[in-house]
Amino acid sequence: MAGTSSAAPAAADVFAYADRQIEQAAARLWPGAVVRLEVHTPSVTTYVRRVQVDERALFAKVSLLGLSLVSVLRGTAGDWAQVRAAQAAYQGSPGTLLEREARGLDILREEAGVPACRVAGLQSGVLFTEQVTGPTLADLLAKEPHRSGELMTRVLVELTGLQRPAVARSVDEVAIAERGIGPTFHRKFNGISGPTYLRKAGQTGEVLAGMVGRLRRLRPVPAAGRRPVVYGDLKPDHAVFPDGPEGRPVFLDPGLARGRPQTDAAKLVSRTVLNLVASPPDRAAAKAVVGGIEVFIDMVTADQGPDERAAWLKQLVVLWLMDTTNILSTYLTCPADLPLPEHAVKITQQAMSVCTLLDRTTAKLLAGADPRAVWRLALADVAKAADR
C-alpha cells in the first residue's frame, strides 16, 4: 500500500465527478436519449448508480484508477487534483479494470455458457450494464434457509463452463487477478503499511492484526501447475434468480482470473457467514443455513479421498478467513463520508464476534488440528455467533 495523503479527496467531489462522467458517457453512447441518474448504490469498491436511458434501466459503474473507493478516499493515490490527473491517463490506457470486467461478462455468456448480465456500453471509463431483477442468492438464503445447501451448490455448478480450454485462454488475456482473495490480503497487509492501516480500526484493528499474523503463517505455498479459472467475486449478492429459486441464476460483477480451486466456494462461504452474523434470523433458520453450508461443501468434495479432502478444506478455511479479514478491515477503516451498504454497517457492529471466530479457527489450524475437525468446529462457532 502506498502512503496516505494528508489532503485526501472528499467523497462529495468524487461522486460529483463520477456523475459527470456517467452523463457524458451516456450522451456519447446514446445521442439524443433522455438520461436520468437515479439511486446511488453504496459500495466500497466502485461508484455505482442506477441510470435510466429513455425507458432502459441500467447500472453505471465508475472505477477510479482500478482502486477501491476506500483507498482513493483515504488518499492512497494522492489529493483530488492528483487523482483526477491520473484518472485521465488511466482511462486512456488499455486493460482498465472495467474494460476487463466488461470482457469477462462477454466471456461468461458467449464462451462459458454462464448466464450473466449484459453489457450495454463501455465509454470513457464508464461501464453500463443491464439491470437484472429478481431475488439474489442472499435473499433466497434468508427466505428459504432449508434450501441453502442446494442453492449454493447450484450456483457453483453453474460456473463449470469456466473450465473450458477456450475460456481459460480468453480469461488469461483479461484476468482481474488483483481483486483475488490472496492478492488483496497480501497487498493490504504486506510490509510495514499493514499495521499502520489496521490502527485506523482502533481496538478491533489490534485484534485483526493478530489474525493477520496467523493467516500470513498459514498462507498456502504457491500452487504447482496451471490454476483453474475462477469467478473471483462470488458473493451471494452477485447471483440473481430472475425466475425465482427454480430458475437459473444470472451472475453480476465477475472478477475472472486464475485461482485456487477453493476460491469461489471460500468467497461464497465467507460472505454468507458475514450476512448470517450481521443479520441473524431465528435459531432454526440460522441452524438451517449453517447446515446448508456444510451440505454445500460436502457436495463439492464428494469425490475426494480423506487426505485430499483434509488438504482441500484447510485451503478453503484459510481463504475464507482471509476474505473475511479483507472486507472487515475495509469496512472498519472506511472514511466517514463514504456511505456503507446497510449490511456493511451491521457487520461492523458485530466486528468482535467475527474476530472471535477468526481467533478460534486460526488458533486450531496453527496448532495442527485436523482440518476436517477445524471446519466442523468453525461452523459450530458460526451457529453460536448467529444465535443471539
Side-chain angles (χ1 to χ4, degrees), residues 15 40-46 48 69-70 235 237-238 271 275 278-279 327 330-332 334-349:
F15 293 177
H40 167 224
T41 302
S43 169
V44 295
T45 53
T46 51
V48 182
L69 274 177
V70 171
K235 303 173 187 175
D237 291 326
H238 288 175
R271 302 310 172 96
N275 288 344
S279 300
I327 193 61
T330 293
Y331 290 159
L332 289 170
C334 182
D337 59 346
L338 178 64
L340 283 174
E342 182 181 356
H343 76 275
V345 175
K346 292 180 179 178
I347 288 169
T348 62
Q349 293 168 348

Side-chain angles (χ1 to χ4, degrees), residues 5 7 12 17 34 38 63 95 102-103 120 166-167 201 209 230 235 245 279 296 303 305 321 332 334 382:
S5 168
Y17 166 86
V34 176
E38 299 190 334
S63 171
R103 177 69 182 117
V167 170
V230 297
K235 303 173 187 175
S279 300
F296 164 54
D303 296 332
L321 301 183
L332 289 170
C334 182
V382 171

Side-chain angles (χ1 to χ4, degrees), residues 214-294:
R214 290 179 180 178
L215 287 169
R216 284 171 61 84
R217 291 163 63 189
L218 288 165
R219 62 185 174 184
V221 297
R226 298 285 281 176
R227 295 184 178 190
V229 173
V230 297
Y231 192 83
D233 203 12
L234 192 59
K235 303 173 187 175
D237 291 326
H238 288 175
V240 183
F241 289 74
D243 301 315
E246 308 308 326
R248 296 181 72 185
V250 176
F251 293 87
L252 317 175
D253 299 341
L256 302 185
R258 298 276 187 168
R260 292 184 177 274
Q262 302 88 349
T263 297
D264 289 334
K267 176 72 70 103
L268 199 51
V269 169
S270 170
R271 302 310 172 96
T272 299
V273 166
L274 284 176
N275 288 344
L276 193 61
V277 174
S279 300
D282 62 58
R283 180 176 296 181
K287 183 178 180 180
V289 174
V290 173
I293 294 172
E294 187 169 15

